[in-house]
Amino acid sequence: MDIDAWVWWLIGAVGLGIPLVLTAMPEFGMFAAGAVAASITAALGGGAVAQVLVFVIVSVALIAVVRPIANRHRNQKPQHRSGIDALKGRSAVVLERVDGSGGGRIKLAGEIWSARALDADSSFEPGQSVDVVEIDGATAVVM
C-alpha cells in the first residue's frame, strides 16, 4: 500500500502537535502549521521540493512573526491593578481628623478606612482631599 505524500505531512503535523501539548512550546505548533501547509501543497500536486520549501517558509515565517509578539505579551505587566495596589495613588476625603498618630478616618473608593498621615507633623481636617500613599494593614497612609 502506497501512502500519498500529503498524508505523511499530516502525520508529521500531528506528531509535531503532541510535543506542543506536552511541553507548551509554541514553536512545535508553528512547525505543525508548516506541515499542514506542505500537506496542502502535496495534495494540490506540488513536488517534493515545493512541499519542503512551503514547510520551511511557513514555519520560519510563523516563528519570525508570532514569537516576538508572544514574547512582548509575556513580558508585559498587567494593565489592571487590583486589591491594595489599586488603592495606592487614589484620592480620598477626610471624614475625621487625620494626623500622624493614626486616629482619623477617610472615605476611599466608597469605603471608610482608618488613616494616618505619612508625615507625623501633618494633619488633615474633615472635608479635605488627600492622596493615598500606601496601605499599611487596614490603615491608609495619606498625604
Side-chain angles (χ1 to χ4, degrees):
M1 178 166 93
D2 193 23
I3 298 178
D4 291 333
W6 68 271
V7 175
W8 284 114
W9 282 109
L10 283 181
I11 292 169
V14 170
L16 288 166
I18 292 170
L20 167 67
V21 173
L22 295 177
T23 65
M25 290 180 61
E27 290 82 4
F28 283 112
M30 295 171 210
F31 287 130
V36 169
S39 174
I40 292 169
T41 302
L44 294 175
V49 173
Q51 294 169 31
V52 171
L53 280 175
V54 167
F55 170 75
V56 170
I57 289 169
V58 169
S59 298
V60 169
L62 283 172
I63 288 173
V65 171
V66 175
R67 195 168 182 203
I69 294 170
N71 285 338
R72 189 172 38 237
H73 284 283
R74 182 177 46 224
N75 295 333
Q76 267 183 340
K77 290 189 175 186
Q79 297 290 336
H80 181 70
R81 297 185 309 165
S82 63
I84 293 173
D85 291 331
L87 298 175
K88 292 178 185 175
R90 292 192 64 175
S91 292
V93 176
V94 177
L95 299 176
E96 295 175 9
R97 186 174 193 275
V98 175
D99 55 27
S101 67
R105 300 236 181 265
I106 61 171
K107 188 165 192 172
L108 171 63
E111 297 179 348
I112 299 187
W113 281 74
S114 60
R116 69 176 163 82
L118 178 63
D119 183 12
D121 297 332
S122 298
S123 64
F124 305 98
E125 298 302 322
Q128 276 187 285
S129 181
V130 291
D131 293 322
V132 177
V133 178
E134 66 178 302
I135 303 294
D136 182 18
T139 302
V141 179
V142 299
M143 62 181 273

